[in-house]
Amino acid sequence: MTPLGWPNPLPGGASAEEYAIAFDRGRERRLLIVPALFDEANRMRRFSLEVMRRLDASGIDSVLPDLPGTNESLEQLETQSIGSWCSAVAAAVQFFGATHVLAIRGGCLLMPQGVPGWLYAPAKGGSILRQMLRARSLASREAGREESREGLTTLALTDGIELAGYRIGPQLFVDLEHAEAPEREGLTLVEQGLVGGAGLWLRAEPGESREQADALAAVLAIGMQS
Amino acid sequence: MQDQTDQLLRRILTDVLGLKDGLAENFTPDTGLFGHLPELDSMAVAGLLTEMEDRLDIVIEDDDIDGEMLETYGGLLAFAEAKRSGS
């Protein structure tokens, strides 16, 4: 497992160095993982690495890039949009020469074109926002302030908003409101029932499951044969 | 329906809190939740409520949520049962 840098082209011709973690031995079968979004990215990170370790042992390279504005990225989260993230994912697919893509939860909203892959337990953008808005209302109420969902949405659309510690700009908020995972040929839906047990994104504290990592890695390894 | 709500709610808490199977069977109406379990912060409670909506087939409005219903298992169960019976 090695940390790597990759160039993410920015509008205007410059590019920003982003970080990724990879098992890269120059092998033929190469999987790129699009991480879950916001809080769920943390809760799914260890699981993602566990899947990558299993794929490595099965002769498959894999890479987990940071989305601009997340994790180690030096870009501002507030200026990101679904479009900027999609273009970053596409650039990472090209840079690493990925033959397949696994998108996790909210990452499914960023599924790149032209590469076969899997959508693992896709989350709708609207549901992601609703849960984060609800967390903010709950926290405010605990602090003795009332913030309605309508009021917060208006604020988000004009000035952007901080939800669960993430500074989300108006563009990303608008984009997420109606974003859904794509359906097209070459993309396979992996529902939680196939992986078994309860999804690790539900956990209040990040957890892990050997069985679930085994199950998802098996689905991927079989799908990447031939 | 009441027993079923109880079982579903214990299952949801098991999944959200990452409890060992069966441990949630020990929850009593007085078992403390929000404010008692450090891992149940506002983000986790938001996740819990969303999961309750999905699995219990209910809609939870912001106005429905108060400290009392979240404080104990009994409070949460009473809320879920009332929602499911349509009140």
Side-chain angles (χ1 to χ4, degrees):
Chain A
M1 183 171 60
T2 43
L4 295 173
W6 57 281
N8 179 36
L10 299 174
S15 78
E17 175 94 345
E18 297 291 353
Y19 170 89
I21 197 153
F23 289 87
D24 188 354
R25 303 180 204 271
R27 289 171 290 196
E28 207 169 293
R29 294 178 293 164
R30 304 171 67 74
L31 180 78
L32 181 131
I33 299 180
V34 187
L37 302 181
F38 310 115
D39 210 48
E40 290 191 355
N42 301 327
R43 282 180 264 167
M44 299 308 282
R45 191 165 176 89
R46 181 171 169 82
F47 172 73
S48 304
L49 265 293
E50 285 299 306
V51 171
M52 291 167 75
R53 285 199 179 91
R54 284 157 174 76
L55 294 175
D56 181 50
S58 308
I60 296 169
D61 281 349
S62 59
V63 58
L64 175 63
D66 284 352
L67 297 172
T70 72
N71 204 35
E72 301 290 334
S73 176
L74 297 175
E75 298 299 299
Q76 294 292 319
L77 176 60
E78 195 172 6
T79 59
Q80 303 305 318
S81 62
I82 293 275
S84 73
W85 277 349
C86 282
S87 96
V89 169
V93 164
Q94 196 165 25
F95 184 79
F96 290 107
T99 57
H100 296 76
V101 172
L102 166 69
I104 300 177
R105 298 283 297 156
C108 297
L109 306 173
L110 315 176
M111 196 74 185
Q113 301 273 351
V115 197
W118 293 267
L119 302 161
Y120 173 41
K124 290 181 182 160
S127 312
I128 295 171
L129 285 180
R130 201 155 72 92
Q131 189 159 323
M132 292 169 86
L133 286 166
R134 177 173 269 170
R136 170 147 171 175
S137 299
L138 281 165
S140 304
R141 193 170 295 183
E142 274 295 290
R145 291 193 310 272
E146 282 294 327
E147 290 182 316
S148 73
R149 212 177 296 177
E150 292 72 25
L152 290 175
T153 301
T154 308
L155 175 70
L157 293 173
T158 48
D159 299 339
I161 189 170
E162 185 161 317
L163 295 176
Y166 296 92
R167 184 77 210 162
I168 298 174
Q171 186 62 53
L172 183 54
F173 193 92
V174 170
D175 290 348
L176 281 170
E177 273 188 313
H178 302 290
E180 290 196 32
E183 280 180 50
R184 61 171 175 264
E185 208 176 323
L187 296 185
T188 307
L189 177 65
V190 179
E191 293 187 87
Q192 183 57 24
L194 187 63
V195 174
L200 293 170
W201 63 86
L202 295 175
R203 295 281 181 91
E205 291 286 312
E208 61 181 79
S209 163
R210 199 180 298 169
E211 296 78 13
Q212 292 192 28
D214 285 347
L216 185 56
V219 169
L220 301 171
I222 292 167
M224 290 175 79
Q225 274 175 358
S226 76
Chain B
M1 179 91 140
Q2 286 200 352
D3 279 358
Q4 196 201 3
T5 306
D6 185 27
Q7 285 311 307
L8 285 168
L9 192 57
R10 285 177 201 267
R11 186 70 239 167
I12 293 168
L13 283 163
T14 297
D15 294 345
V16 169
L17 295 171
L19 302 175
K20 287 205 169 67
D21 274 344
L23 207 62
E25 295 306 316
N26 300 329
F27 284 4
T28 69
D30 296 329
T31 301
L33 298 175
F34 194 40
H36 300 267
L37 301 172
E39 62 268 44
L40 264 191
D41 57 14
S42 57
M43 193 64 207
V45 169
L48 172 67
L49 296 173
T50 305
E51 205 56 22
M52 284 172 63
E53 289 182 319
D54 288 351
R55 293 200 219 173
L56 301 175
D57 198 22
I58 56 177
V59 176
I60 301 173
E61 306 292 343
D62 284 352
D63 293 344
D64 295 338
I65 304 165
D66 62 46
E68 212 169 302
M69 79 178 246
L70 291 168
E71 200 183 335
T72 61
Y73 181 72
L76 194 62
L77 179 60
F79 170 78
E81 283 173 341
K83 272 280 164 192
R84 289 191 97 196
S85 65
S87 64

